[in-house]
Amino acid sequence: FNQEYMCIPANDATAFISYEMLDGNHVPGKTSIERGTVDGKPSEIRTWVAESGIPKDADLYLGVDPARHSDLFALWLAADVAGVLMPVVVKTMKNVTFSRQDRELDEFMSMKNLRRCCYDMTGLGEKTAEEMRAKWGYRFEPVRFTAATKEAMAYPVRQGLEDKTFKVPNLASVDSDFRKIRKEETASGNVRFTGERDANGHADRFWSAALCREAKGHGGTGCGESCGDDDGDNYFRGRH
């Protein structure tokens, strides 16, 4: 995004994710945009939906990186299709009320094929994580972001891109977020993963994708009686 639209050159040598990794894993889809105002400030919800090729009975996994004002509330829903994690829905919300965020999250959690959701509980996400865990049980897994957990989640995404088992939407905004991730070494020799913050968030799409991949790595065995009846057909058909 920065290189293609903002004329800001990117240095591939410092990026954790290369252009080559992304270019070989793009899948087509359609984006809808809902705009409004909250407390007199602009709000926006962008929903990307895969065009086709996702079996309706595929196991689903969800990653959620929450935010409220400056950054994006990002949800990444993917399906396991013959061992390949295919994006089904990628939704971002900026300056959207907590109540709307919770309704959206509940809708995703109600999908009967959803095996697990991993949710960043760091900071403002802790209250929602506690409530959703109580409501949805083992299928909702709070994750506290630390240097160690970020490293553990970032590498499987890159490996999936390299071996073509992790696909991403063909969106400049997604590529930009993935390209923001930098691996740095601290003065004490520890590894730290950072993401540049700009008007489009704080690499929120990348971390929601990494959380989704983490959910797949700890996939459950089914949703049981606590699930709703919605199997997510509205997303597969591109209607929401």
Side-chain angles (χ1 to χ4, degrees), residues 11 53 73 75 99 117 125 128 146 153 157 173 178 193 225 231 240:
N11 183 354
F73 186 104
L75 304 100
S99 59
C117 167
T128 297
T146 64
M153 290 190 298
V157 173
S173 56
F178 276 57
F193 284 85
E225 296 178 357
D231 63 359
H240 178 243

Side-chain angles (χ1 to χ4, degrees), residues 34 45 47 73 75 91 93 96 99-109 235 240:
E34 175 187 338
I45 299 175
T47 306
F73 186 104
L75 304 100
K91 181 186 287 284
M93 296 183 279
V96 173
S99 59
R100 175 65 184 273
Q101 293 178 3
D102 289 348
R103 290 199 303 272
E104 293 282 347
L105 184 52
D106 274 331
E107 185 172 345
F108 279 90
M109 291 300 302
Y235 285 106
H240 178 243

Side-chain angles (χ1 to χ4, degrees), residues 57-146:
D57 60 350
D59 289 341
L60 301 174
Y61 300 92
L62 179 65
V64 184
D65 187 18
R68 175 63 175 83
H69 296 287
S70 299
D71 297 329
L72 301 176
F73 186 104
L75 304 100
W76 188 291
L77 180 73
D80 183 354
V81 182
V84 177
L85 209 54
M86 300 285 294
V88 180
V89 180
V90 175
K91 181 186 287 284
T92 59
M93 296 183 279
K94 186 167 186 177
N95 192 33
V96 173
T97 63
F98 288 118
S99 59
R100 175 65 184 273
Q101 293 178 3
D102 289 348
R103 290 199 303 272
E104 293 282 347
L105 184 52
D106 274 331
E107 185 172 345
F108 279 90
M109 291 300 302
S110 296
M111 296 177 179
K112 71 180 182 181
N113 286 350
L114 186 74
R115 300 310 182 211
R116 190 169 297 270
C117 167
C118 282
Y119 180 97
D120 174 20
M121 67 177 293
T122 313
L124 62 82
E126 189 161 8
K127 179 177 182 294
T128 297
E130 181 179 297
E131 294 170 350
M132 290 291 173
R133 178 71 174 188
K135 183 174 185 176
W136 297 105
Y138 74 92
R139 294 170 60 240
F140 188 93
E141 181 179 339
V143 177
R144 190 178 299 280
F145 272 18
T146 64

Side-chain angles (χ1 to χ4, degrees), residues 11-229:
N11 183 354
D12 213 50
T14 64
F16 184 67
I17 304 294
S18 71
Y19 282 117
E20 184 180 3
M21 294 177 196
L22 293 165
D23 288 343
N25 289 287
H26 287 141
V27 297
K30 297 180 179 179
T31 300
S32 61
I33 304 174
E34 175 187 338
R35 293 188 174 95
T37 58
V38 174
D39 297 330
K41 297 180 180 180
S43 66
E44 181 180 88
I45 299 175
R46 287 179 177 261
T47 306
W48 176 93
V49 180
E51 286 185 354
S52 61
I54 309 296
K56 292 183 179 181
D57 60 350
D59 289 341
L60 301 174
Y61 300 92
L62 179 65
V64 184
D65 187 18
R68 175 63 175 83
H69 296 287
S70 299
D71 297 329
L72 301 176
F73 186 104
L75 304 100
W76 188 291
L77 180 73
D80 183 354
V81 182
V84 177
L85 209 54
M86 300 285 294
V88 180
V89 180
V90 175
K91 181 186 287 284
T92 59
M93 296 183 279
K94 186 167 186 177
N95 192 33
V96 173
T97 63
F98 288 118
S99 59
R100 175 65 184 273
Q101 293 178 3
D102 289 348
R103 290 199 303 272
E104 293 282 347
L105 184 52
D106 274 331
E107 185 172 345
F108 279 90
M109 291 300 302
S110 296
M111 296 177 179
K112 71 180 182 181
N113 286 350
L114 186 74
R115 300 310 182 211
R116 190 169 297 270
C117 167
C118 282
Y119 180 97
D120 174 20
M121 67 177 293
T122 313
L124 62 82
E126 189 161 8
K127 179 177 182 294
T128 297
E130 181 179 297
E131 294 170 350
M132 290 291 173
R133 178 71 174 188
K135 183 174 185 176
W136 297 105
Y138 74 92
R139 294 170 60 240
F140 188 93
E141 181 179 339
V143 177
R144 190 178 299 280
F145 272 18
T146 64
T149 57
K150 282 187 171 183
E151 181 178 4
M153 290 190 298
Y155 274 106
V157 173
R158 189 171 76 170
Q159 183 63 50
L161 293 171
E162 290 175 338
D163 60 24
K164 302 295 192 291
T165 59
F166 191 92
K167 302 297 183 178
V168 298
N170 189 13
L171 291 173
S173 56
V174 170
D175 285 1
S176 176
D177 272 12
F178 276 57
R179 294 276 303 156
K180 288 176 185 176
I181 300 301
R182 298 290 187 269
K183 177 186 172 184
E184 301 175 349
E185 187 171 319
T186 67
S188 58
N190 295 319
V191 172
R192 177 176 60 194
F193 284 85
T194 63
E196 174 191 357
R197 175 176 276 112
D198 59 21
N200 295 300
H202 192 216
D204 308 299
R205 298 172 186 86
F206 174 83
W207 289 116
S208 65
L211 286 159
C212 178
R213 176 61 184 82
E214 176 73 5
K216 169 63 174 66
H218 296 81
T221 58
C223 57
E225 296 178 357
S226 64
C227 289
D229 294 329

